[in-house]
Amino acid sequence: MSLARRLISAGFSDLEKAGRFLAARELEGLDQDRLFAGLQMAASPDTALQSLVRLVEKHPALRELAEADPETSEPLYRVLGASEALGEFLIRHPEHLEAFNVRASPEPVQADPAVLRAVLLQSVGADPRAARPVATRTGVEAYVALRTAYRRGVVDLAVKDLCAADPLDFLPAVGAELADLAGAAIEAALAVARAEAAEQHSASDVAGIGLAVIGMGKCGARELNYISDVDVIYVVDAGQLDDAHANTIGTALATGISRAIMGLAREPGLWEVDANLRPEGKSGPLVRTLASHESYYARWAESWEFQALLKARTIAGDAVLGRRYEEAVAPLIWTSASRDGFVESVQAMRRRVTDHIPPAEEQRQIKLGRGGLRDVEFTVQLLQLVHGKADESLRRRDTTSAIAALSAGGYIGRSDAAAFDNAYRYLRLLEHRIQLFQLRRTHLMPVADPALRSLAKAVLGPFATERPHPDALLAAWQKTKRSVRELHERIFYRPLLNTAAKLSSEDARLTPEAAQGRLAALGYLDPPGAMRHIEALTAGVSRRAALQRQLLPVLLDWLAEGVDPDAGLLAFRRVSEALGTTHWYLGMLRDSTAAAERLCHMLSNSRLIADLLEVSPESVAWLGQDKDLAPVPFQAQWQEITAKMSRHSDPESAMRLIRLIRRREILRIAIADSVGLLDQDQVGAALADTDRAAVLGALRVAESVVQMSGPLKTAMLVVAMGRQGGREIGYGSDADVMYVHRALPGFTDAEAQEQGLRMVAKVSSLLTQPLKPAIMAERVLQMDADLRPEGKNGAMVRSLDSYAEYYRRWSLVWEAQALLRARPMAGDDALAADFLQLIEPIRYPEEISEQDVREVRRVKARVEAERLPRGADPARHLKLGRGGLSDVEWLVQLLQLQHAGQHQELRTTSTVGALDAAADLGLLAREDADLLASAWRLASRIRSANVIWTGKASDLLPSSRRDLEAVARWCGYEPGNAAALEEDYLRLSRRARAVFERVFYGH
């Protein structure tokens, strides 16, 4: 194999330069096969080769290791190929090449923090066993020794990290060891600072000062990067000194630490020691006493400061003082979420971080950008702060442990937690490998092709032999970012968090003592009964019980916002028990942006929806996605019914499925209506489609039953009448219909009539008869044929010819009026077209006589006098009362009888549509039409609200304040505005009645 091909195969980028270095005299005589075997292990063989040549020049004995077998030389090549900066360090300090005299372990062990501390202290001549170690070295000598010992520790760690079989699995240990190294370096720097401070102050005074160094951010959480600022807070203990003098010495110690870590010396500085997270930031004193810290956090701290304190950990100095600090701030951390606007402020801070990224860096950011590390960290920390006040298992500093705790407690779904954890580890690994190369603080994805190639190799474990293309690396990164962003937006902005954050720790824990009083305060009428429901839902140690314990403190508030929270909680318990251990239910309530709040409001405001959800609990899944609440079109319902009928030839089985579909769709419409996804016209149309599909299904089943005893002798048509024909029905509406048939060829009219009567009876029976087992909570569809010719005295079904003869000879004006809203509903299409052609001149006459107008008015007056229930208040009867539905509909229908023959615009079965057309034609003043439409819509809405609230139909505006409140809320009024609904309805109906009397009666 040629040298060029061999270099390409090994992963070199600069072949010419690699050839020159391979020919260097330092490598003369080395086994080329062993050399290339080692270089192939390097993430960047170019960098490894260059560093190797320079190291051999300084330390020729390294030649032996360079041509050793791959298992022996692996640490050398992996480190030199992954970190140019560590290669430079070893060139400066070849005495530390002994770090490579180890056997690489696929499962390395994290270093003991105490050992790291001892090594760093000993590097500056301090005694690790001393209570307050003091260095014997000071100045540049101490700084160089400290930094050299630290970087040797980084080399040791890099060997373990780069040789670990699974870098993602070992990543938390890397962050922890880097934090421990940083803590040890600061401990050693403090020992140097004590020695140096004793040159300016009394040695006894310096020895009497306690200084605790509190690690913040990633260092505090023990998840530090290879190169990162180390955020700290300094706490000073004055001992026997006055506070002012103690603060002076403490400040000298703090500045001495920074000098030892970052001051000028021949060995470069390590990293920035950043104390800007201290109280008052850069404007505040560098050190404070514990009492001063407590005072500041109690009075002045902002929400973000408590989020920062989540990571606070003593990393160096006076351990007892540090522990006292941690104990003092802990209660403040875990109650901070209860502060006004806490959740919103954290969310706003995350948005600000993203907004402040320079445009040139936005697409390269691994840490701050969308889908970056900050999205994971902010999400996890917000969940911890909100729920950690009640659940101490969440009080973890590092992110990976916190994710595991959130998953174990049910605050994040298992799959989401696994995705979050894997993404976080992957992003941190990218960050580590990028920083390790030059030990520079950066969070940007490189753009140069050689750097991307090296990075793609560096993130793989040692057992991976391939060298992925940079495009594969970028694709994996983008996929990870998308996953993180989706999880962040779904979890970080949960509405549940805002409500949960406002709970006290006692309320959040849901202890029986706290719950009883809280339930009563929230408005539950039976706190002991409610407590029994809560105990039943939260008992045990299952994940389901843990999720309920997490959700219920918030759900109780949302249930209490309804009119009947006791019934709502009972319904919630029944729904929860019906769904049992279903994996998606409680997770959806926790994660969805709206599902939990929607469910609570429905259960405590609607008996109809609660009853339907109890028997169809799987429908709760619709609450998570608005698209699932969109009404199913008639054609889709009919396709589903047809498919089910094809698999169930038994009439009872087929009708069970048809009626179950109708029950399901009524529930879907009611839920969509309750959350404001449908307007009133859409509700009426959707309910009409659902009834139409059920009636058509019943007709087809009836035909199949009849055909069991002989051939089909007649074609059938069901004609919708009244509000059903106008597609303006509510939740409590019957189906006003007429039945039409036409004999099929070869059969007599008598045969067809007899079969038609049997089919009509069967259709009604199929839709209403009890089934075994019963369909629970079904609103049975009653078929009402009273609007047929001759009313209750007429034939239940007639042939088309019979209708034609009847309308030609005996039809009365009220029958023409009833036909105004006739619309084919189910049955034979050709018969439907012929029937419409038949009734067009009857319901839309060219003219109507004065006698017929008087008859319409007479019948209306009679209906008002005779059909209004005894004792009913006309002002409160929605249908027959003053300015109610009947007034508006009769007025519209009279205008249609008078003018639809000349005006096509009036030929509609819609009441509101006809009102608009009449106003456009000048037959009705626009303000009168708008007033009548408003009154009609409000009456219709109240009528439906009665059914929604009680589960029973009622034509009365409620008198009970509680019932009126429930109805008002369904009609869109804010809580506590029942009186406003009552006033609005009475006023509108009174004004509508005045318009009705003026236009209808000509008064």
Side-chain angles (χ1 to χ4, degrees):
M1 182 185 295
S2 68
L3 178 61
R5 180 168 293 184
R6 196 169 192 184
L7 290 171
I8 293 171
S9 176
F12 281 88
S13 296
D14 190 336
L15 304 187
E16 188 273 333
K17 192 173 184 180
R20 284 192 285 109
F21 271 90
L22 281 170
R25 60 181 177 80
E26 287 82 2
L27 303 185
E28 285 181 6
L30 288 185
D31 186 317
Q32 293 292 297
D33 290 338
R34 289 282 181 90
L35 180 61
F36 269 93
L39 290 170
Q40 278 185 310
M41 292 187 283
S44 172
D46 299 79
T47 304
L49 177 59
Q50 294 166 39
S51 296
L52 178 64
V53 171
R54 295 175 65 195
L55 281 167
V56 170
E57 181 184 12
K58 293 274 187 179
H59 192 72
L62 189 62
R63 287 168 53 92
E64 181 181 349
L65 181 61
E67 63 176 350
D69 63 89
E71 285 190 10
T72 303
S73 65
E74 181 179 2
L76 170 69
Y77 286 108
R78 291 206 183 276
V79 171
L80 295 185
S83 180
E84 184 179 61
L86 290 181
E88 294 287 347
F89 166 72
L90 292 168
I91 290 169
R92 294 194 303 273
H93 299 279
E95 68 274 15
H96 289 294
L97 285 169
E98 63 176 349
F100 297 132
N101 295 332
V102 294
R103 181 71 68 171
S105 170
E107 295 183 357
V109 178
Q110 184 181 329
D112 184 344
V115 172
L116 296 177
R117 177 179 179 273
V119 169
L120 268 293
L121 283 170
Q122 288 165 356
S123 73
V124 295
D127 183 359
R129 296 168 297 178
R132 291 177 179 167
V134 179
T136 56
R137 292 179 174 180
T138 58
V140 172
E141 180 192 3
Y143 308 161
V144 170
L146 184 158
R147 296 171 193 179
T148 303
Y150 173 86
R151 287 199 170 97
R152 166 58 191 271
V154 173
V155 173
D156 291 339
L157 174 59
V159 169
K160 293 187 288 187
D161 184 11
L162 296 167
C163 296
D166 187 345
L168 292 177
D169 185 57
F170 190 57
L171 183 128
V174 174
E177 189 163 328
L178 283 166
D180 293 340
L181 262 172
I186 289 178
E187 187 78 78
L190 176 57
V192 174
R194 285 190 178 279
E196 293 179 342
E199 297 172 5
Q200 304 296 324
H201 305 276
S202 164
S204 61
D205 287 352
V206 173
I209 293 294
L211 183 73
V213 184
I214 309 299
M216 305 289 283
K218 286 185 171 62
C219 187
R222 296 185 79 226
E223 51 188 14
L224 199 60
N225 297 336
Y226 272 101
I227 186 72
S228 174
D229 291 353
V230 173
D231 298 309
V232 298
I233 287 176
Y234 296 110
V235 187
V236 67
D237 183 0
Q240 303 302 312
L241 304 179
D242 63 81
D243 284 353
H245 186 41
N247 284 343
T248 300
I249 296 175
T251 301
L253 294 177
T255 54
I257 289 173
S258 294
R259 188 167 57 248
I261 297 293
M262 276 298 294
L264 288 175
R266 63 180 180 276
E267 180 66 21
L270 300 181
W271 18 256
E272 189 76 27
V273 180
D274 188 344
N276 289 337
L277 291 178
R278 67 186 183 271
E280 300 181 77
K282 293 180 180 179
S283 303
L286 189 58
V287 301
R288 287 176 184 258
T289 63
L290 178 56
S292 177
H293 276 98
E294 289 178 300
S295 175
Y296 173 83
Y297 289 128
R299 300 179 61 189
W300 309 112
E302 297 183 27
S303 295
W304 68 265
E305 294 178 272
F306 295 107
Q307 184 180 356
L309 285 171
L310 185 64
K311 306 291 188 181
R313 176 180 65 91
T314 306
I315 60 171
D318 193 322
V320 175
L321 177 59
R323 190 158 50 250
R324 287 168 54 206
Y325 175 89
E326 292 174 25
E327 292 170 352
V329 299
L332 302 175
I333 297 169
W334 301 113
T335 57
S336 62
S338 301
R339 294 160 62 102
D340 288 342
F342 176 83
V343 171
E344 293 85 349
S345 70
V346 174
Q347 292 169 342
M349 185 188 301
R350 176 62 189 116
R351 289 191 292 270
R352 283 197 300 274
V353 169
T354 305
D355 293 343
H356 290 162
I357 299 173
E361 296 182 0
E362 188 173 359
Q363 299 305 314
R364 298 174 57 204
Q365 267 286 350
I366 296 172
K367 177 180 179 181
L368 304 178
R370 294 168 62 87
L373 288 162
R374 278 288 186 266
D375 275 354
V376 180
E377 292 163 352
F378 266 77
T379 303
V380 170
Q381 290 165 25
L382 181 57
L383 289 173
Q384 285 181 276
L385 290 167
V386 168
H387 299 295
K389 60 189 170 189
D391 188 347
E392 294 185 6
S393 71
L394 304 182
R395 299 181 183 182
R396 311 293 181 90
R397 293 187 179 94
D398 69 289
T399 303
T400 53
S401 294
I403 292 173
L406 287 166
S407 176
Y411 301 95
I412 303 179
R414 292 187 183 94
S415 60
D416 287 351
F420 238 176
D421 181 77
N422 187 70
Y424 178 76
R425 290 172 187 251
Y426 180 71
L427 293 173
R428 288 299 306 276
L429 183 62
L430 285 174
E431 189 180 47
H432 278 194
R433 295 296 186 258
I434 292 168
Q435 292 182 350
L436 180 60
F437 190 73
Q438 292 186 324
L439 286 182
R440 289 182 183 171
R441 185 172 175 266
T442 179
H443 312 285
L444 300 179
M445 179 65 75
V447 293
D449 191 74
L452 288 171
R453 289 182 182 278
S454 298
L455 181 60
K457 174 66 174 174
V459 296
L460 301 178
F463 299 126
T465 57
E466 73 275 15
R467 286 189 177 271
H469 192 275
D471 289 348
L473 170 73
L474 295 175
W477 177 45
Q478 293 297 333
K479 181 180 179 181
T480 301
K481 286 168 63 178
R482 287 192 298 272
S483 172
V484 167
R485 192 63 187 182
E486 187 274 327
L487 289 167
H488 169 74
E489 290 181 342
R490 177 155 50 84
I491 299 171
F492 191 63
Y493 295 100
R494 282 180 187 166
L496 198 71
L497 289 173
N498 290 288
T499 308
K502 297 168 186 173
L503 298 173
S504 68
S505 58
E506 291 76 18
D507 287 343
R509 286 189 178 92
L510 208 66
T511 59
E513 300 77 13
Q516 287 271 8
R518 181 162 172 250
L519 290 167
L522 287 172
Y524 287 80
L525 299 180
D526 181 15
M531 199 61 222
R532 287 194 293 274
H533 299 319
I534 293 169
E535 289 168 349
L537 289 165
T538 59
V541 295
S542 66
R543 184 177 180 82
R544 172 187 171 196
L547 273 168
Q548 289 282 19
R549 285 193 290 272
Q550 175 196 151
L551 291 167
L552 272 170
V554 175
L555 302 189
L556 290 172
D557 273 7
W558 284 335
L559 287 166
E561 291 172 4
V563 179
D564 191 348
D566 297 86
L569 180 56
L570 173 59
F572 178 77
R573 175 183 174 182
R574 288 175 174 167
V575 169
S576 297
E577 289 175 345
L579 288 169
T581 56
T582 307
H583 71 280
W584 56 265
Y585 168 57
L586 293 174
M588 182 196 70
L589 296 186
R590 176 195 61 207
D591 297 338
S592 169
T593 57
E597 189 170 6
R598 285 176 170 180
L599 178 63
C600 291
H601 289 168
M602 286 186 297
L603 294 179
S604 56
N605 285 313
S606 171
R607 174 68 180 272
L608 176 72
I609 294 177
D611 288 348
L612 287 170
L613 281 175
E614 285 178 26
V615 296
S616 305
E618 69 282 354
S619 303
V620 171
W622 300 336
L623 297 174
Q625 296 283 344
D626 284 355
K627 64 181 178 62
D628 293 332
L629 292 172
V632 178
F634 164 76
Q635 200 58 44
Q637 291 185 54
W638 179 237
Q639 288 175 355
E640 182 182 2
I641 287 172
T642 303
K644 291 186 182 298
M645 288 171 59
S646 68
R647 296 193 296 271
H648 297 83
S649 57
D650 172 52
E652 185 168 326
S653 298
M655 276 313 301
R656 166 178 291 282
L657 295 171
I658 291 168
R659 286 163 66 173
L660 284 171
I661 291 171
R662 178 174 176 270
R663 184 186 73 178
R664 181 195 71 198
E665 293 311 312
I666 289 174
L667 174 58
R668 189 193 309 273
I669 295 163
I671 293 174
D673 190 3
S674 75
V675 300
L677 297 178
L678 302 177
D679 61 31
Q680 195 167 330
D681 293 343
Q682 291 170 321
V683 170
L687 289 170
D689 281 346
T690 296
D691 284 355
R692 180 187 174 198
V695 170
L696 180 55
L699 179 59
R700 292 291 178 255
V701 173
E703 289 173 346
S704 69
V705 171
V706 167
Q707 286 179 294
M708 291 178 185
S709 57
L712 202 60
K713 301 175 183 178
T714 189
M716 288 293 303
L717 173 67
V718 182
V719 180
M721 306 289 285
R723 290 170 70 87
Q724 184 72 245
R727 292 166 62 80
E728 298 167 337
I729 61 173
Y731 298 102
S733 298
D734 294 340
D736 291 320
V737 297
M738 292 197 309
Y739 298 105
V740 187
H741 79 92
R742 179 162 55 193
L744 295 174
F747 299 100
T748 66
D749 289 345
E751 289 175 314
Q753 179 70 17
E754 185 274 334
Q755 191 178 76
L757 285 170
R758 282 196 290 134
M759 276 201 282
V760 166
K762 192 63 179 176
V763 166
S764 181
S765 171
L766 288 169
L767 288 166
T768 58
Q769 70 183 8
L771 298 174
K772 294 183 180 179
I775 299 178
M776 306 300 293
E778 180 190 19
R779 293 202 61 77
V780 173
L781 180 59
Q782 298 289 346
M783 306 292 280
D784 186 342
D786 288 355
L787 292 177
R788 65 188 184 273
E790 300 181 85
K792 293 181 179 179
N793 298 320
M796 183 64 73
V797 58
R798 290 175 181 263
S799 68
L800 182 64
D801 291 341
S802 175
Y803 274 102
E805 181 68 13
Y806 177 85
Y807 287 135
R808 184 178 65 82
R809 298 179 61 185
W810 296 297
S811 175
L812 300 176
V813 68
W814 74 263
E815 292 170 314
Q817 181 184 352
L819 289 173
L820 286 168
R821 305 178 83 178
R823 178 178 57 84
M825 188 180 194
D828 187 86
D829 291 341
L831 181 55
D834 291 343
F835 180 77
L836 286 177
Q837 186 177 3
L838 168 66
I839 66 172
E840 285 295 286
I842 299 168
R843 61 178 174 176
Y844 305 135
E846 288 296 319
E847 60 180 5
I848 182 173
S849 67
E850 278 301 317
Q851 180 181 348
D852 283 342
V853 171
R854 285 195 298 272
E855 178 63 10
V856 171
R857 290 168 176 165
R858 185 191 68 80
V859 173
K860 174 67 170 86
R862 181 181 167 190
V863 167
E864 288 183 22
E866 296 180 2
R867 294 185 59 188
L868 190 69
R870 187 186 299 273
D873 182 354
R876 304 182 78 87
H877 201 280
L878 303 166
K879 181 178 180 181
L880 302 174
R882 180 187 69 198
L885 298 170
S886 176
D887 281 358
V888 178
E889 291 169 2
W890 279 69
L891 184 152
V892 168
Q893 290 159 19
L894 179 57
L895 289 175
Q896 288 179 295
L897 288 171
Q898 290 174 314
H899 303 287
Q902 291 79 39
H903 299 289
Q904 287 281 345
E905 301 93 323
L906 286 169
R907 298 183 182 184
T908 174
T909 60
S910 165
T911 300
V912 174
L915 276 172
D916 283 339
D920 291 341
L921 292 167
L923 303 175
L924 196 61
R926 171 52 68 182
E927 58 268 25
D928 288 344
D930 290 345
L931 172 63
L932 292 171
S934 296
W936 184 89
R937 287 184 186 281
L938 184 56
S940 297
R941 188 69 175 162
I942 294 171
R943 206 174 180 210
S944 281
N946 282 335
V947 180
I948 287 289
W949 165 235
T950 66
K952 300 175 182 177
S954 171
D955 286 327
L956 289 173
L957 177 69
S959 298
S960 156
R961 291 293 99 180
R962 189 162 181 253
D963 293 344
L964 193 62
E965 174 69 21
V967 168
R969 294 194 191 188
W970 188 263
C971 293
Y973 288 75
E974 290 296 318
N977 280 277
L981 167 67
E982 187 174 43
E983 291 169 9
D984 286 350
Y985 177 75
L986 295 176
R987 183 182 67 257
L988 269 176
S989 61
R990 185 171 60 250
R991 293 173 61 201
R993 180 65 182 189
V995 173
F996 169 78
E997 290 182 347
R998 172 164 45 83
V999 177
F1000 188 82
Y1001 288 118
H1003 294 168

